[in-house]
């Protein structure tokens, strides 16, 4: 019973780490315009994708226990709808839509994580909306219904770039459900391109659930197997992998129709409708969120650390160059002073001068050279060093593997801009401090949170209560009276 709160507590800790340690560095150096936590601070989100009339809206209505979304055979709904919980309605009231807001509100209110979607323009904004519903299903997550993918519609018809919107939403979402129906088992081109291009390869394993929906409409078991086979083949084309991901086979019990002339139950009775299982998987979104957050902290922590490493490496090189330059400058000045002294010793008109004066001449010459070096030449040579370092910026880092190369690709320009703007003058101590802070956030994501997630996965049901009580720091008395930490999602 404390599981949700434990997950929320872990999440708050990680968010604090991102906000306190990563965001200041990210915004200071232009890594991000908005605080990094903007897109991750909101509640866990589940994105539904699929062909039109694959049953997305019906599935959502089934989950919520009330008809919130319009459904129908034709492409009924061309909007992206964020459906979230309304905590202000007392429990026990009938489930209903309690508030509706338009895209303009949703894109501008900093409470929501969609600010970055503003770039998709007015047409998108007019196809984006928010609904609040007091369904218990939404207590720990929000769900996003999308317009179906269509073959016949072009980007111009839609007025915004559908693929890009889907890509951005998939980045924000913690769990993506992709629905297919027997009529178009993965044969819609837009679905292919969207999925292949927008969901990064890694995501397929962790965060995407494939659903073959409306299976009650297959004419027979053989028909279903044929559809299943086609879908598997199409999926392997999309994912580029030979192994077949788990595909949930479901139908909406309210809609069971059966193809004409085929009594429904003849094959459905051999199949378990995996709708409940799917519902439970969707309810796990907060765990996916934690995993997603950990990856977020890891990726950005790693990149920012890489960025700061490059700055540190620059400063080390600059220091080495300065030492070398100082040594050369001093050497030349000494040689020059020595030469003047010898000249004074040997040159006939000066030979008669007092020895102290000769030494003075030598020392004066050395000082003049040092001055020249210090005020003119040293700067000239340092500028050359700076320019050359910027030209060979890749030398500032070691690119020993693909991850490092990818990360460098992401921050290379940022390093360049920072070095150009600062002219190489920045405090090494400050950068080192920032580096250690960033590293802490990285470790929190990669070690502590992952460790906690592993522990959670291995926990047996009878160990749960004790485990969470200890971890949440609840006293036995508080636990008995049912006190819990405040809800951290809202
Ligand atoms: N037979 C059957 N019909 C379904 C099922 N799910 C949805 N439908 C129907 O399919 C049509 C399209 O569903 P909808 O939820 O609007 O699809 P969306 O476009 O993906 O949101 C509607 O008429 C639904 O009643 C199902 O599992 N079985
Ligand atoms: Mg729909």
């Amino acid at each position: 019973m404390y599981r949700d709160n434990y997950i929320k507590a872990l999440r708050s800790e990680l968010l604090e780490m991102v906000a306190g340690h990563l965001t200041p560095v990210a915004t200071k150096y232009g890594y991000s315009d908005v605080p990094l936590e903007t897109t991750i601070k909101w509640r866990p989100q589940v994105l539904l994708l699929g062909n039109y009339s694959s049953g997305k809206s019906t599935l959502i209505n089934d989950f919520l226990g009330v008809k919130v979304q319009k459904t129908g055979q034709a492409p009924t709904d061309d909007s992206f709808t964020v459906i979230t919980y309304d905590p202000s309605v007392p429990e026990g009231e009938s489930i209903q839509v309690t508030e509706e807001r338009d895209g303009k509100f949703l894109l501008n209110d900093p409470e929501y994580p969609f600010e970055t979607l503003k770039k998709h323009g007015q047409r998108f904004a007019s196809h984006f909306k928010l609904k609040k519903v007091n369904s218990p299903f939404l207590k720990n997550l929000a769900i996003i219904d999308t317009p179906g993918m269509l073959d016949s519609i072009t980007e111009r018809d839609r007025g915004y770039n559908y693929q890009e919107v889907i890509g951005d939403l998939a980045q924000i979402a913690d769990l993506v459900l992709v629905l297919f129906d027997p009529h178009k088992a993965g044969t819609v081109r837009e679905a292919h391109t969207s999925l292949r291009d927008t969901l990064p390869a890694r995501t397929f394993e962790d965060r995407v659930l494939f659903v073959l929906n409306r299976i009650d409409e297959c004419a027979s078991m053989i028909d279903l197997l044929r559809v299943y086979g086609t879908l598997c083949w199409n999926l392997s084309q999309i994912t580029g992998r030979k192994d077949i991901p788990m595909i949930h086979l479901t139908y909406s019990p309210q809609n069971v129709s059966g193809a004409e002339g085929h009594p429904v139950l003849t094959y459905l009775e051999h199949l378990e409708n995996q709708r409940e299982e799917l519902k439970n998987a969707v309810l796990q979104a907060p765990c996916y969120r934690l995993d997603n957050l950990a990856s977020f902290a890891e990726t950005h922590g790693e990149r920012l650390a890489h960025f700061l490493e490059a700055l540190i490496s620059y400063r080390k090189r600059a220091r080495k160059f300065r030492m070398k330059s100082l040594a050369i400058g001093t050497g030349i000045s000494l040689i020059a002073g020595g030469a003047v002294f010898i000249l004074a010793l040997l040159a006939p008109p000066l030979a008669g001068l007092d020895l102290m004066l000769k030494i003075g001449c030598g020392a004066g010459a050395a000082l003049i050279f040092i001055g020249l070096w210090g005020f003119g030449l040293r700067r000239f040579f340092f500028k050359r060093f700076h320019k050359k370092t910027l030209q060979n910026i890749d030398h500032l880092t070691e690119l020993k593997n693909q991850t490092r190369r990818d990360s460098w690709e992401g921050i290379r320009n940022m390093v360049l801009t920072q070095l150009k703007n600062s002219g190489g003058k920045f405090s090494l101590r400050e950068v080192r401090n920032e580096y250690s802070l960033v590293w802490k956030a990285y470790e929190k994501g990669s070690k502590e949170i992952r460790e906690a997630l592993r522990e959670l996965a291995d926990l047996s049901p009878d160990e749960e209560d004790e485990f969470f009580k200890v971890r949440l720091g609840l006293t036995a008395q508080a636990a008995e009276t049912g006190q819990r930490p405040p809800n951290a999602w809202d």
Side-chain angles (χ1 to χ4, degrees), residues 53 55-58 69-72 76-77 145-148:
S53 77
K56 297 181 291 298
S57 305
T58 308
Q69 289 296 82
K70 266 196 212 149
T71 59
T76 354
D77 187 354
D145 196 5
T146 60

Side-chain angles (χ1 to χ4, degrees), residues 50-59 61 70-77 145-148 179 213-217 250-253 255-258 275:
N51 309 324
Y52 73 92
S53 77
S54 52
K56 297 181 291 298
S57 305
T58 308
L59 184 72
N61 292 344
K70 266 196 212 149
T71 59
Q73 287 300 348
T76 354
D77 187 354
D145 196 5
T146 60
L179 268 71
N213 197 28
R214 298 177 64 162
I215 55 165
D216 60 296
E217 289 180 315
T250 78
Y251 58 90
S252 169
N255 279 338
V256 170
S257 59
R275 226 157 170 87

Side-chain angles (χ1 to χ4, degrees), residues 182-183 212 215-230 259 262 267:
H183 313 289
L212 177 56
I215 55 165
D216 60 296
E217 289 180 315
C218 290
S220 62
M221 190 78 167
I222 304 255
D223 190 27
L224 174 65
L225 289 176
R226 189 184 51 73
V227 168
Y228 183 79
T230 312
H262 295 271
Y267 69 94

